[in-house]
Amino acid sequence: RVHLSAGEQRTGVDFSVLVVPVATIDGVVTDASGQGAASIQLSLLTSGPRVPAGTPQMVGSGPVLVQRPGAEGRFVYSNVPPGRYTLTARGSSASPPPSSSTSMIMVAPPAAASSADYSYAQADFEIDGQDINNLVLTLQPGATFSGRVVFDGAPSSRRPDIAAIRVGLIVPGPTFFTISNGTMTGNTLTSMPAVSVQKDGTFLVRGIGPGTYTLRATLPPDADRLWGLESAVAGPRDLLDAPVEIAAGDRISDATLTFSDRKTEISGTLQTAEGRPAPEYVIIAIPADRERWQKDSRRLQLARPDTRGRFSIVDLPPGSYLLAALTDLDPNELNDRNFLEQVASVGVRVTLTAGGKTVQNLGI
């Protein structure tokens, strides 16, 4: 990471290019009975830095799927550089999708069948120049996530069109999916699109792959100004304040998603020592409870003051927060506990109750 200020020139950012051995990975994808699937898609993801695929510099510089899994499920990767990898296999009984001979970047994986038909297998490994032979991936049925949506509001509040609400489990952070000459890389092969809620308030997401997810429940635009997602629980599990861990074949049922019209708000003004508005700053709200410093948490929110210094942060869950003004912010720092500790050391504590609206003015 290199940080540049306005007008700054950085020199001496040198790289040492080394010759490193590449490896081959071969194996087989089977189902629980030892048989292959009609359609198998493979996606290889490295945990290290990546350069967007599809660019001229990347052609031929990464892993190449030289043998795609056919009826027997056998596959071979060549040209695999050193690093840590996750190999994901997704199978279905439908015919395989057409492969591409060109390079492209997509935000969602190509569909091969109904999500109810998907099965998955994953393997994590490290490459250090040595080949991996006879890797076995055994497909397991995709997970399901089901439950119902309820509303907790005043009798006079207009309920939104329940069929326009969408619920899904989303891969946290940036998502990407690339395909170049049939070689797939990315982190979206295991996730499914959000589904619409049925008229009776129930929902069912099927075919979810193993991994870590965050819950998303979106309202139609005309309703999200009045209503907000207050809680989401499945038994003892809180689905909002911590990532949702999904294993192959999981069945998360009886989830209750509660929308409330008791929306919270922290508002105020930000001024300099001379009493002038400070619109160039960023306002950040973080939980006072360090146990709630979770990655991509809904309890971590930002706001920009307007030209008169006024700011507003809405829909924070009830609780205690620390409010601070920053000159600059890299969004990645919100997942850095050392950074959050610095914010906490200077933050102003505010408390929100259900539906509460708190005014807190800040001065530089």
Side-chain angles (χ1 to χ4, degrees):
R1 180 179 297 177
V2 178
H3 183 273
L4 289 177
S5 300
E8 182 180 2
Q9 296 186 17
R10 294 291 298 272
T11 60
V13 184
D14 301 326
F15 294 86
S16 297
V17 180
L18 303 177
V19 176
V20 297
V22 294
T24 296
I25 305 170
D26 68 70
V28 62
V29 181
T30 67
D31 62 18
S33 65
Q35 304 297 316
S39 171
I40 299 173
Q41 295 172 281
L42 295 177
S43 178
L44 194 61
L45 176 66
T46 177
S47 59
R50 67 180 182 89
V51 175
T55 60
Q57 307 95 297
M58 288 297 293
V59 174
S61 64
V64 179
L65 184 60
V66 294
Q67 179 181 334
R68 303 172 191 174
E72 297 181 353
R74 299 209 63 86
F75 65 90
V76 178
Y77 282 95
S78 67
N79 201 51
V80 184
R84 294 181 179 273
Y85 294 88
T86 297
L87 177 60
T88 300
R90 185 173 75 178
S92 76
S93 60
S95 300
S99 61
S100 173
S101 60
T102 60
S103 299
M104 65 183 73
I105 300 176
M106 297 175 285
V107 296
S114 166
S115 62
D117 189 44
Y118 286 147
S119 56
Y120 297 90
Q122 276 189 343
D124 297 315
F125 49 82
E126 185 170 357
I127 296 294
D128 59 0
Q130 300 296 318
D131 294 343
I132 294 181
N133 302 118
N134 301 317
L135 180 66
V136 178
L137 298 176
T138 303
L139 297 169
Q140 300 290 333
T144 61
F145 173 54
S146 62
R148 62 192 180 96
V149 167
V150 298
F151 295 94
D152 181 12
S156 59
S157 296
R158 178 183 176 186
R159 267 53 172 175
D161 178 6
I162 198 166
I165 300 174
R166 295 184 62 81
V167 175
L169 294 176
I170 310 300
V171 176
T175 58
F176 72 99
F177 190 93
T178 70
I179 179 169
S180 178
N181 295 318
T183 303
M184 300 181 187
T185 61
N187 62 351
T188 59
L189 195 61
T190 56
S191 64
M192 290 295 104
V195 300
S196 297
V197 177
Q198 301 300 305
K199 291 184 177 180
D200 63 357
T202 62
F203 63 86
L204 171 61
V205 184
R206 300 183 292 186
I208 309 166
T212 301
Y213 298 89
T214 56
L215 173 67
R216 293 287 174 83
T218 57
L219 291 162
D222 60 339
D224 60 5
R225 292 186 297 273
L226 177 62
W227 296 91
L229 184 60
E230 183 177 68
S231 65
V233 295
R237 183 187 298 191
D238 188 319
L239 304 175
L240 290 181
D241 283 339
V244 182
E245 300 289 342
I246 298 290
D250 272 358
R251 298 291 182 266
I252 301 178
S253 59
D254 299 327
T256 301
L257 278 56
T258 302
F259 287 91
S260 172
D261 62 356
R262 300 189 301 272
K263 295 171 74 68
T264 63
E265 181 182 20
I266 300 175
S267 63
T269 59
L270 177 65
Q271 295 182 334
T272 66
E274 295 77 21
R276 294 193 300 269
E280 67 275 15
Y281 284 74
V282 178
I283 305 295
I284 179 173
I286 69 172
D289 182 359
R290 286 164 171 76
E291 294 298 321
R292 296 188 181 276
W293 290 359
Q294 301 287 341
K295 183 177 181 180
D296 300 318
S297 170
R298 63 183 181 136
R299 295 179 184 267
L300 292 168
Q301 289 199 28
L302 309 175
R304 283 276 189 183
D306 63 17
T307 55
R308 286 185 275 184
R310 299 177 304 185
F311 67 88
S312 174
I313 300 176
V314 298
D315 287 343
L316 281 170
S320 293
Y321 293 87
L322 299 170
L323 210 61
L326 308 176
T327 56
D328 191 19
L329 177 66
D330 180 346
N332 292 323
E333 293 176 325
L334 294 178
N335 297 319
D336 184 342
R337 294 188 69 87
N338 291 330
F339 168 77
L340 295 180
E341 286 288 357
Q342 297 179 49
V343 174
S345 67
V346 298
V348 176
R349 184 182 290 266
V350 296
T351 300
L352 281 174
T353 58
K357 300 185 185 301
T358 298
V359 177
Q360 179 63 61
N361 298 320
L362 300 175
I364 304 300

